[in-house]
Amino acid sequence: MGDVGEILMSVLSTIRVPKPGDRVHKDECALSFASPESEGGLYVCMNSFLGFGSQYVERHHARTGQRAYLHITRTRKAKEDDNNSGSGHPPKKKPTRLAIGIEGGFDVELEQYEEDVKVVLLPERQEVTSEDLATMPDVVRERVSLSMAGIMAADSVSHALQVQQWDGEVRQESKHAADLKQLDNGLKIPPTGWRCEVCDLQENLWMNLTDGKVLCGRRYFDGTGGNNHALLHFQETGYPLAVKLGTITPDGADVYSYDEDDMVLDSKLAEHLSHFGIDMMTMEKTERTMTELEIAVNQRVGEWEVIQESGTTLRPLFGPGLTGMKNLGNSCYLNSVMQVLFTIPDFQNKYVANIDKIIDEAPSDPTQDFKTQVAKLGYGLLSGDYSKPALDLGDENDQIGIAPRMFKALVGRGHPEFSTNRQQDAQEFLLHFINMVERNCRSGSNPSEAFRFLVEDRIVCQQSQKAKYTQRVEYIVQLPVPMDQATNTEELQEAEQRREEGDSSAPTVRAQIPFTACMAALSEPEILTDFWSSAVQAKTAATKMTRFASFPDHLVIQIKKFTFGLDWVPKKLEKKIKNSLPLHPLSAPVLDDSTVSQLCEMGFPLEACRKAVYYTGNTGIDSAMNWIMGHMDDSDFSAPLVLPGGSSGPGSTPTESLSEEHLATIVSMGFSRDQATKALRATSNVLDRAVDWIFSHLDDLESMDVSEGGRSAVESEGGRDPPPGPRVRDGPGKYELFAFISHMGTSTMCGHYVCHIKKDQQWVIFNDQKVCASEKPPKDLGYLYFYRRVTE
């Protein structure tokens, strides 16, 4: 070992012992998803504590000159039956606490491994074991042994992130508990046999601690639970605290504060129960607590039966582009969004096609570099390297997959929600990620351009009848759902009546909303009651209409399934969108010629008739006539209708297609070129409308910035004109569905997300580590829909 000892002595100054605060990456390669369990194991630099798989460790050595690496390999022990303790090992404990990283909570890593550790010296790849160190000089043995022990004892970054201590059971003392008012109404509640006083339900019952009323709890997203009578009672009386009957024991009970909107502690619970004749010390638990119910939901969340395609034997798929992602404790929202994004060519070309160049240019700490980590994730999903059966996990449908811990930590860093282990809204995460892409792609290609489009708002002052046009950049269409347009109203009312009458067998009925009704609701005029009109220099009412000013290459539509109830708790609207965009392509609207002709026969200008039909979504002569009567005094009433998707080619910005002739005409009237540009951009490059627009905005033209869609203009550099604004691709508005993300749960902050993606004409369901051929993709129950432009 003489040569090895000499090498170690020569590099001893570079071998460090981890100190508190050092980031030790001993579970995951900084540039790939290699781990100690992977073939070849993981090499941890004993100076920087960065981990590298066998394919990248020599590259790191060549770039940095580091020679000493701790080589860690792990082999999973044979898996034992969870409930069989015959081997002498105790059975696996089931979680009893809604928590992570806390005694009684969910275990983060249940697998047990055989671990082999040794030092490897590059480039010779000479190996040094603990036994070898014993024969070396004291100074070498002590430093290297301390470094090895320190690395192995340190919490890895990925593990520390995964077990961020989270306790969903921590409850605060209610502000109402100390001096809760209780009515002396003589009411005594029996120890058993409770029923809701309104609908006779016999489960999920809550007793109000002010007046003793026994009422049913909230209705859950699947139609079970209660009929909201306890909540309605609070809204009528303001009595804040209620206890869940059936959970009362000598140790306590579930107490909910409607006023504080949370589960709470009541230190005077025994006294408050005694007021209504309940002896807390003699009560026995007969119902599951809210914690137990939520634990049950969390345990089911990864199981196949919660997916809409339950009851079908789904065929597992493996290969490139069919890679599962591990759920890092409520990270299914991230998994679903990233699976879809890396189906889009812009993201594939930006990050995966250039992965070798990105890795070659990665900074000294690639774990903190956005481009590197996104490329690593994209390659992991598309390469197929990790899309292999994980037979030792006990489920033939499970894949080895990838665990996006490093990526999640980076994109969530500093964010109050995405940095946590709580469930999040997939739509909010998509916008958050797009924002990060925007910030990191200020030079070079920007894949978020695939989603970017312009929306034009037309605001008409009711007093002056002058119109103001503004444009803004959007990435997602939020589609409202008019529940009053349901086509199965009678069925809904019948089911609701049966539930109110206490019929527990009443079916769960979803409202069926036509997609055309959703689109019509999107384009309906909005009344602004507190609008500042520059034309009359006062607040007045105005009408706002919104339309597409361009069509993106990829269109994302969010079905607004969630709303806030009277108690400000996000609630899910249970519905199906029938005959919807998921089933038919979206195209620029084809105007109903017969309606246009009828309006023209009444003497109205052709273009005004076309606009009336367009802006009312082809919903008939009556609505079009109402539109005309409300817009006859508009300055652009007879101006040509300009439809999105037809004014400029792909890759253009709003200013690139401006007519130089139109600009010259407006400038000849005494206006500046910048003012003329703003006017033309605000009116889709129509000269007559632009002239009307510019004369109606004389007072506030200088202060308005419609060119940036509400964003402040970028400072000019070196005297150059500021850039024309966000780049927008435009083209025909004809689309086909290629992916959708579905949500199961009562709100975006709980439950589970999965995505369906169409690959080679086959729908595939991605449910975390499970990737299968989809038999019945539930297109009418999606939350986010993704479309790509159809080219002729």
Side-chain angles (χ1 to χ4, degrees):
M1 298 300 293
D3 291 342
V4 174
E6 290 174 9
I7 294 173
L8 279 173
M9 181 66 79
S10 68
V11 300
L12 203 60
S13 62
T14 67
I15 296 177
R16 297 174 53 225
V17 179
K19 301 189 299 292
D22 279 337
R23 299 165 58 87
V24 179
H25 296 275
K26 62 178 182 180
D27 283 341
E28 181 182 350
C29 173
L31 299 171
S32 73
F33 287 96
S35 71
E37 300 91 70
S38 304
E39 184 177 351
L42 192 73
Y43 296 80
V44 180
C45 172
M46 298 179 77
N47 178 267
S48 66
F49 309 124
L50 291 170
F52 297 95
S54 55
Q55 69 183 117
Y56 290 119
V57 64
E58 290 185 357
R59 172 191 172 280
H60 183 257
H61 157 69
R63 288 189 63 177
T64 64
Q66 296 297 331
R67 299 186 65 183
Y69 294 83
L70 188 65
H71 185 217
I72 309 173
T73 56
R74 290 194 198 122
T75 306
R76 196 189 305 270
K77 292 179 181 178
K79 197 164 185 178
E80 298 163 358
D81 190 333
D82 291 349
N83 298 311
N84 181 12
S85 57
S87 62
H89 296 284
K92 188 191 302 178
K93 289 184 179 179
K94 292 187 176 181
T96 58
R97 188 173 188 85
L98 191 64
I100 295 174
I102 293 174
E103 179 65 28
F106 288 90
D107 285 328
V108 176
E109 201 67 61
L110 294 175
E111 293 85 3
Q112 297 295 317
Y113 296 93
E114 296 284 359
E115 206 160 45
D116 182 63
V117 180
K118 55 183 174 286
V119 175
V120 173
L121 299 173
L122 294 184
E124 300 87 354
R125 286 194 176 262
Q126 288 180 296
E127 298 181 354
V128 183
T129 65
S130 297
E131 291 77 14
D132 296 331
L133 284 174
T135 66
M136 296 187 180
D138 291 348
V139 64
V140 173
R141 183 180 69 252
E142 289 178 8
R143 171 64 69 85
V144 176
S145 297
L146 282 173
S147 178
M148 291 176 68
I151 291 173
M152 296 309 296
D155 265 346
S156 70
V157 173
S158 60
H159 181 78
L161 289 167
Q162 192 178 7
V163 300
Q164 283 176 337
Q165 186 167 305
W166 170 76
D167 194 342
E169 283 189 59
V170 173
R171 296 175 184 175
Q172 303 299 320
E173 178 79 4
S174 171
K175 65 182 182 182
H176 302 288
D179 54 0
L180 181 71
K181 179 184 177 182
Q182 292 190 283
L183 303 184
D184 293 321
N185 53 14
L187 193 61
K188 298 300 177 185
I189 305 299
T192 57
W194 309 293
R195 291 175 180 270
C196 174
E197 296 183 23
V198 177
C199 66
D200 277 349
L201 278 183
Q202 300 178 49
E203 56 187 23
N204 190 20
L205 299 176
W206 296 76
M207 184 187 80
N208 192 286
L209 288 173
T210 296
D211 62 4
K213 286 277 188 181
V214 176
L215 299 161
C216 61
R218 299 174 193 261
R219 181 173 307 173
Y220 304 142
F221 73 96
D222 59 356
T224 63
N227 290 316
N228 298 317
H229 290 135
L231 171 61
L232 293 171
H233 182 62
F234 160 71
Q235 292 167 355
E236 293 169 1
T237 64
Y239 300 157
L241 299 183
V243 61
K244 186 176 185 184
L245 297 174
T247 69
I248 303 171
T249 70
D251 297 323
D254 274 356
V255 178
Y256 189 80
S257 172
Y258 290 103
D259 180 52
E260 296 161 282
D261 190 23
D262 209 349
M263 301 298 295
V264 295
L265 295 178
D266 177 3
S267 56
K268 291 189 175 183
L269 181 59
E271 176 185 328
H272 292 153
L273 291 171
S274 177
H275 180 86
F276 295 107
I278 296 177
D279 183 356
M280 182 170 159
M281 302 309 293
T282 64
M283 297 294 288
E284 293 183 2
K285 183 169 165 293
T286 59
E287 278 216 19
R288 288 193 291 181
T289 65
M290 299 306 289
T291 294
E292 290 169 332
L293 288 169
E294 196 162 347
I295 285 174
V297 170
N298 277 276
Q299 287 182 298
R300 287 199 309 272
V301 129
E303 296 173 357
W304 207 244
E305 55 262 32
V306 302
I307 306 303
Q308 298 299 331
E309 297 186 59
S310 59
T312 306
T313 301
L314 299 177
R315 176 171 55 91
L317 300 175
F318 304 95
L322 298 169
T323 303
M325 296 174 72
K326 294 181 181 178
N327 193 320
L328 308 178
N330 287 327
S331 64
C332 52
Y333 67 92
L334 178 149
N335 294 355
S336 296
V337 168
M338 299 314 299
Q339 289 281 13
V340 174
L341 289 186
F342 274 106
T343 307
I344 295 172
D346 295 78
F347 286 88
Q348 295 175 352
N349 295 335
K350 174 71 176 183
Y351 296 109
V352 182
N354 294 320
I355 190 164
D356 291 336
K357 182 173 184 291
I358 290 171
I359 286 177
D360 286 341
E361 296 174 354
S364 58
D365 185 358
T367 69
Q368 302 302 300
D369 183 60
F370 180 80
K371 184 188 292 185
T372 304
Q373 292 307 312
V374 177
K376 167 184 163 179
L377 178 68
Y379 183 81
L381 291 175
L382 298 180
S383 65
D385 292 351
Y386 309 97
S387 180
K388 299 170 184 175
L391 300 179
D392 54 350
L393 292 182
D395 187 332
E396 62 180 8
N397 285 353
D398 273 328
Q399 292 190 6
I400 295 173
I402 59 177
R405 297 189 184 100
M406 210 172 276
F407 171 81
K408 182 178 185 294
L410 184 62
V411 298
R413 187 175 59 199
H415 192 281
E417 291 297 332
F418 300 129
S419 61
T420 72
N421 280 331
R422 294 189 293 268
Q423 183 62 279
Q424 304 298 335
D425 185 342
Q427 180 255 5
E428 290 183 4
F429 177 75
L430 174 59
L431 289 177
H432 170 72
F433 183 72
I434 287 175
N435 189 41
M436 293 195 76
V437 171
E438 293 277 10
R439 293 204 309 266
N440 286 276
C441 294
R442 291 189 174 128
S443 60
S445 62
N446 184 342
S448 67
E449 286 180 14
F451 300 123
R452 199 186 290 154
F453 63 96
L454 287 174
V455 171
E456 181 182 271
D457 288 329
R458 178 179 182 274
I459 302 176
V460 179
C461 168
Q462 298 271 348
Q463 194 167 334
S464 66
Q465 292 302 313
K466 289 186 176 179
K468 170 182 176 180
Y469 295 84
T470 59
Q471 288 186 342
R472 65 181 187 275
V473 172
E474 295 285 3
Y475 296 89
I476 292 179
V477 179
Q478 292 187 307
L479 204 59
V481 179
M483 297 295 285
D484 58 345
Q485 299 294 309
T487 57
N488 58 336
T489 305
E490 292 183 5
E491 189 181 1
L492 287 167
Q493 291 174 344
E494 180 183 350
E496 180 69 19
Q497 183 177 350
R498 287 176 61 183
R499 285 196 57 81
E500 289 180 354
E501 293 172 352
D503 184 352
S504 58
S505 65
T508 299
V509 179
R510 297 175 184 268
Q512 298 183 2
I513 317 292
F515 179 73
T516 51
C518 299
M519 289 301 292
L522 181 67
S523 59
E524 272 186 4
E526 178 185 354
I527 304 300
L528 308 177
T529 57
D530 201 23
F531 175 72
W532 172 262
S533 171
S534 58
V536 298
Q537 290 296 302
K539 284 188 176 181
T540 182
T543 303
K544 176 183 174 183
M545 302 231 8
T546 301
R547 73 174 187 97
F548 285 97
S550 70
F551 280 132
D553 287 352
H554 291 79
L555 182 67
V556 185
I557 289 185
Q558 174 198 12
I559 302 296
K560 296 176 76 172
K561 286 193 168 193
F562 300 94
T563 184
F564 284 98
L566 296 175
D567 52 356
W568 289 100
V569 175
K571 295 179 179 177
K572 189 172 185 178
L573 301 175
E574 289 304 314
K575 58 196 176 297
K576 291 185 177 182
I577 308 300
K578 303 302 292 180
N579 302 316
S580 63
L581 197 56
L583 308 178
H584 303 288
L586 172 71
S587 59
V590 178
L591 302 182
D592 185 343
D593 290 336
S594 63
T595 306
V596 173
S597 298
Q598 289 180 61
L599 293 170
C600 287
E601 289 171 2
M602 298 178 189
F604 299 114
L606 172 62
E607 289 300 327
C609 300
R610 296 182 72 234
K611 280 194 282 192
V613 174
Y614 170 68
Y615 284 121
T616 56
N618 283 326
T619 52
I621 186 69
D622 291 338
S623 54
M625 189 66 191
N626 290 336
W627 187 94
I628 282 183
M629 300 309 293
H631 294 80
M632 290 182 67
D633 294 330
D634 291 357
S635 56
D636 65 337
F637 181 66
S638 302
L641 169 65
V642 180
L643 296 175
S647 58
S648 56
S652 68
T653 67
T655 53
E656 288 173 338
S657 59
L658 294 184
S659 163
E660 282 297 327
E661 182 181 351
H662 291 354
L663 283 169
T665 300
I666 297 175
V667 170
S668 69
M669 299 177 183
F671 298 102
S672 69
R673 183 178 178 85
D674 182 55
Q675 290 171 330
T677 299
K678 287 182 179 180
L680 286 168
R681 289 185 66 183
T683 56
S684 302
N685 200 24
V686 177
L687 180 59
D688 293 342
R689 285 180 60 195
V691 172
D692 287 340
W693 183 94
I694 206 166
F695 278 107
S696 67
H697 292 85
L698 292 176
D699 294 337
D700 57 346
L701 188 60
E702 293 300 329
S703 62
M704 287 187 60
D705 184 14
V706 297
S707 65
E708 291 291 332
R711 301 184 180 186
S712 59
V714 180
E715 294 293 331
S716 60
E717 300 175 11
R720 293 178 298 159
D721 290 333
R727 183 180 176 86
V728 175
R729 306 173 189 172
D730 197 5
K734 187 177 182 181
Y735 293 91
E736 66 176 358
L737 181 72
F738 74 91
F740 61 95
I741 294 175
S742 304
H743 173 270
M744 286 150 286
T746 52
S747 83
T748 54
M749 310 311 287
C750 67
H752 188 51
Y753 288 96
V754 299
C755 67
H756 287 72
I757 303 175
K758 195 173 187 180
K759 291 178 176 277
D760 299 325
Q761 303 307 308
Q762 164 71 58
W763 280 100
V764 179
I765 181 171
F766 291 81
N767 180 22
D768 292 334
Q769 274 176 269
K770 294 181 174 68
V771 180
C772 294
S774 172
E775 297 293 334
K776 298 176 182 178
K779 298 178 185 178
D780 52 358
L781 294 175
Y783 175 50
L784 293 175
Y785 292 98
F786 296 79
Y787 305 86
R788 55 186 164 221
R789 195 192 313 279
V790 177
T791 53
E792 297 299 335

